[in-house]
Amino acid sequence: MNLISIPALQDNYIWLLDDQNGHCVIVDPGESAPVLEALAAHHLTPSAIMLTHHHHDHTGGVSAIIKQFPAVKVYGPEETSAKGAKIILKSGDEVEIGGVNWSIFATPGHTLGHISYYSAPYLFCGDTMFSAGCGRLFEGTPQQMYQSFQRLAELPDDTLVCCAHEYTVSNLKFARSILPDDSDISAHEQTVVDKRKNGQSSLPTTLGLERKINLFLRCHDVDLQNNLNLNESITHDWQVFALLRQLKDSF
């Protein structure tokens, strides 16, 4: 398979997974124009669209793509049925899409019905996990998002985390504000800053790297907990996660 990232809107990425036989699946098309341009440039015909959640910056291009390619099948959680999804998926489903077998995980937090798609090594996790960060909690709770992270953390280190926004520089800046002496965070921040200066994407990332630089995957880390100066009311890792999300919201 060939993975293609398409910059869209202000800081979104739309993903294409190309089977190298002229067909592809499209993940979270927030707008149609850059997708249609990429399809033409790579001589691809889409067989399916996979949606992770209902927000417009992930679904806004669906109708125009279907208009151009009426045979495209649109998959997504129940919350995307009003956005064009006709094949509704839920946690635990195993489904073949575009000739690939996908495992479906419920990953609530950003939205209540958010799902993620996994087929080794690819993870399409929408706005759940970002490189060095996590999505805002618009509908779900910190405990739900923590559990979603725990589910994704069960995947192998070589998993390619294909998230939907270019937030890596700001996320690493936040991480370094909490752990200023962490060499993995500092080194990767410089790498990403250099990439962005050269117009390169910081994504996809790997889960192995995220275990080192993503504070939201390190809530059990004693150094992190010490630097947060936790009060005695915080006794569970999900509460550490909640505090980190609160701090990031006001960073």
Side-chain angles (χ1 to χ4, degrees), residues 116-151:
S116 295
Y117 300 76
Y118 174 69
S119 182
Y122 306 104
L123 172 67
F124 295 107
C125 56
D127 286 357
T128 298
M129 182 184 294
F130 297 129
S131 185
C134 82
R136 286 183 179 270
L137 305 179
F138 288 117
E139 299 175 12
T141 66
Q143 194 164 12
Q144 285 176 315
M145 186 67 105
Y146 172 78
Q147 291 299 332
S148 295
F149 262 59
Q150 294 304 107
R151 179 65 187 91

Side-chain angles (χ1 to χ4, degrees), residues 19 186 193 200:
D19 69 1
S186 298
V193 167
Q200 296 175 282

Side-chain angles (χ1 to χ4, degrees), residues 164-250:
H165 288 276
E166 183 61 75
Y167 292 160
T168 314
V169 171
S170 61
N171 287 340
L172 287 165
K173 185 177 180 181
F174 168 71
R176 189 165 49 80
S177 76
I178 304 295
L179 292 177
D181 298 324
D182 189 295
S183 59
D184 289 321
I185 291 171
S186 298
H188 192 59
E189 182 182 25
Q190 188 57 58
T191 296
V192 173
V193 167
D194 290 343
K195 279 188 173 184
R196 297 304 293 152
K197 283 180 180 177
N198 292 323
Q200 296 175 282
S201 171
S202 69
L203 303 171
T205 181
T206 66
L207 194 55
L209 175 60
E210 292 306 305
R211 295 189 210 283
K212 297 177 181 179
I213 65 167
N214 194 321
L215 300 189
F216 295 92
L217 284 169
R218 295 175 55 180
C219 295
H220 59 284
D221 187 304
V222 174
D223 290 337
L224 172 61
Q225 293 183 4
N226 288 340
N227 279 34
L228 288 171
N229 297 314
L230 303 180
N231 63 50
E232 60 186 18
S233 68
I234 297 180
T235 58
H236 298 286
D237 287 348
W238 75 263
Q239 293 172 300
V240 178
F241 189 101
L243 176 59
L244 284 171
R245 185 62 258 182
Q246 179 184 350
L247 292 171
K248 181 63 169 67
D249 286 343
S250 59

